[in-house]
Amino acid sequence: MDGNGSLRGAAAGAPPDAPRLLRPHLLPPPLAGVRLLLLPLLLLLLAALPLLTGCSSSPDGQDTSGDGLPPRPTQRPRSIAPFWVNPDGTAARQVRALAKDGRSDDARLIQRIAAQPVAEWIGVDDPEGQARGFTEAAAAAGREALLVLYNIPHRDCGSYSRGGAADGNAYRRWLGGVLKGIGDRATTVILEPDALPHLADGCTPAQFHEERYALLAEAVGKLKGLAHTKVYLDAGNPHWIKDPGRMVEPLKRAGIDRADGFALNISNYQTTAENTAYGKRLAPMVGGKRFVIDTGRNGNGPAPGGDAPENWCNPPGRALGTPPTTRTGDPQTAAYLWIKRPGESDGTCKGGPEAGEWWPEYALQLARNAKE
């Protein structure tokens, strides 16, 4: 994804077909007296050519071509957020489209999303190619990939994100592709959002429970068998499974003992403070595991109305939350992450497009309301 320049020519000296003025010994005798003057002038001119042609690159190789449009996003400092920023993600493309249309203010707002590392959700088609593409790009940038696996059979109880693999064997084949794609590259995986909370709340029919536990435990084991992969199982949020004790058995049966921890608030809007308190109650019950919190859209907390039906689905007035970071100030909280990609719809509610589709108006609202 990154365009890396080459300095081979400068390191090895001028090539044989270099311009005559770079080779003073070839100057005609009448000009020999001024060759020492011409050479430094020409070198200065060559050094200025990238500026004159409007092309340059940032220190980490990101394209900043002078086409009048914003440069592609660059990577965050590893000490703040070691996760990969996709320079060609949906938000980044939206920024450039808005700028091209003369909507510079809106472009600057969407840049608040484009500049952050957001999770990449692996789709059904070509899981190996997708996982390899994201992890290789992240590795090339010296960063860690952040992936979401969301293809469990009977997904989302038939709601807006329904679907998933046709059966357990189809899921295993799909997972096998993901594993090959990740390989030995540094990756953090958020494993199957909703899968365990929907067992705890009774939404998923009982006849599917045993298969789901088996598939999740198998996935945890295989992912942790890779050289540099972290795994977090979804544990809901404080306003879904309100008693954290109800998540203990599901997490244990799904392999939390081998996982790195659990994830909270995925695709939701509950405050960071509430999620942190919930996580600290749950962690001692599952062996002291650490947790991550999805802060992508919780800057204004949940919408008014408490736990009203579909209060989680594209609620108005929400805002971007704390940018992704591993500097949480709390040893139990491993990271704040943007797992649900800000700007993508929760589903066809409140005028939104299909779940997971980019919704520019909602993205602008989240960015406009952001406090940071």
Side-chain angles (χ1 to χ4, degrees), residues 119-157:
E120 302 289 350
W121 294 57
I122 302 298
V124 175
D125 297 327
D126 192 20
E128 180 178 348
Q130 291 181 58
R132 177 174 289 108
F134 291 134
T135 57
E136 286 185 346
R143 298 298 187 274
E144 182 176 327
L146 176 61
L147 305 181
V148 178
L149 305 191
Y150 189 52
N151 194 36
I152 202 77
H154 317 292
R155 188 180 68 194
D156 200 30
C157 300

Side-chain angles (χ1 to χ4, degrees), residues 169-182:
N169 289 331
Y171 185 81
R172 290 183 177 96
R173 289 191 296 271
W174 177 83
L175 177 65
V178 174
L179 295 167
K180 289 180 182 178
I182 293 174

Side-chain angles (χ1 to χ4, degrees), residues 69-358:
L69 299 179
R72 294 187 303 163
T74 58
Q75 303 304 317
R76 300 284 305 282
R78 285 186 58 86
S79 60
I80 297 174
F83 307 102
W84 178 59
V85 177
N86 186 345
D88 296 306
T90 306
R93 296 196 300 271
Q94 180 75 77
V95 168
R96 294 178 69 80
L98 289 168
K100 189 174 182 179
D101 290 343
R103 297 171 59 184
S104 57
D105 289 344
D106 287 344
R108 280 191 288 272
L109 286 172
I110 299 300
Q111 184 69 15
R112 296 181 180 181
I113 299 173
Q116 301 299 335
V118 298
E120 302 289 350
W121 294 57
I122 302 298
V124 175
D125 297 327
D126 192 20
E128 180 178 348
Q130 291 181 58
R132 177 174 289 108
F134 291 134
T135 57
E136 286 185 346
R143 298 298 187 274
E144 182 176 327
L146 176 61
L147 305 181
V148 178
L149 305 191
Y150 189 52
N151 194 36
I152 202 77
H154 317 292
R155 188 180 68 194
D156 200 30
C157 300
S159 189
Y160 293 116
S161 296
R162 62 186 174 273
D167 54 34
N169 289 331
Y171 185 81
R172 290 183 177 96
R173 289 191 296 271
W174 177 83
L175 177 65
V178 174
L179 295 167
K180 289 180 182 178
I182 293 174
D184 62 357
R185 289 173 287 277
T187 305
T188 289
V189 171
I190 308 300
L191 184 60
E192 296 299 339
D194 299 345
L196 289 177
H198 273 155
L199 296 181
D201 71 3
C203 176
T204 300
Q207 65 264 34
F208 303 133
H209 287 203
E210 292 302 320
E211 178 189 59
R212 180 166 296 184
Y213 283 129
L215 291 174
L216 290 172
E218 186 176 328
V220 171
K222 289 182 175 180
L223 287 163
K224 289 304 298 178
L226 300 176
H228 302 292
T229 297
K230 301 185 186 75
V231 181
Y232 292 89
L233 285 159
D234 182 24
N237 68 71
H239 286 252
W240 184 356
I241 309 299
K242 297 182 179 181
D243 175 7
R246 292 176 57 198
M247 288 304 305
V248 173
E249 182 181 359
L251 285 167
K252 287 184 175 180
R253 294 189 64 182
I256 189 66
D257 59 319
R258 288 173 291 173
D260 292 88
F262 55 93
L264 298 173
N265 204 47
I266 298 177
S267 299
N268 216 287
Y269 303 82
Q270 308 305 321
T271 67
T272 301
E274 278 197 276
N275 278 285
T276 301
Y278 185 90
K280 285 177 175 291
R281 291 173 61 198
L282 177 56
M285 305 179 200
V286 290
K289 294 290 183 175
R290 303 178 78 199
F291 54 90
V292 298
I293 300 173
D294 187 349
T295 59
R297 307 182 299 174
N298 72 348
N300 281 346
D307 301 325
E310 292 202 351
N311 205 36
W312 51 268
C313 193
N314 299 326
R318 302 309 92 204
L320 300 175
T322 302
T325 184
T326 52
R327 290 184 176 180
T328 65
D330 173 48
Q332 198 69 48
T333 308
Y336 301 140
L337 303 176
W338 286 9
I339 300 172
K340 169 70 176 184
R341 295 146 65 92
E344 292 185 358
S345 176
D346 291 320
T348 53
C349 55
K350 304 179 180 70
E354 294 289 334
E357 289 189 13
W358 178 256

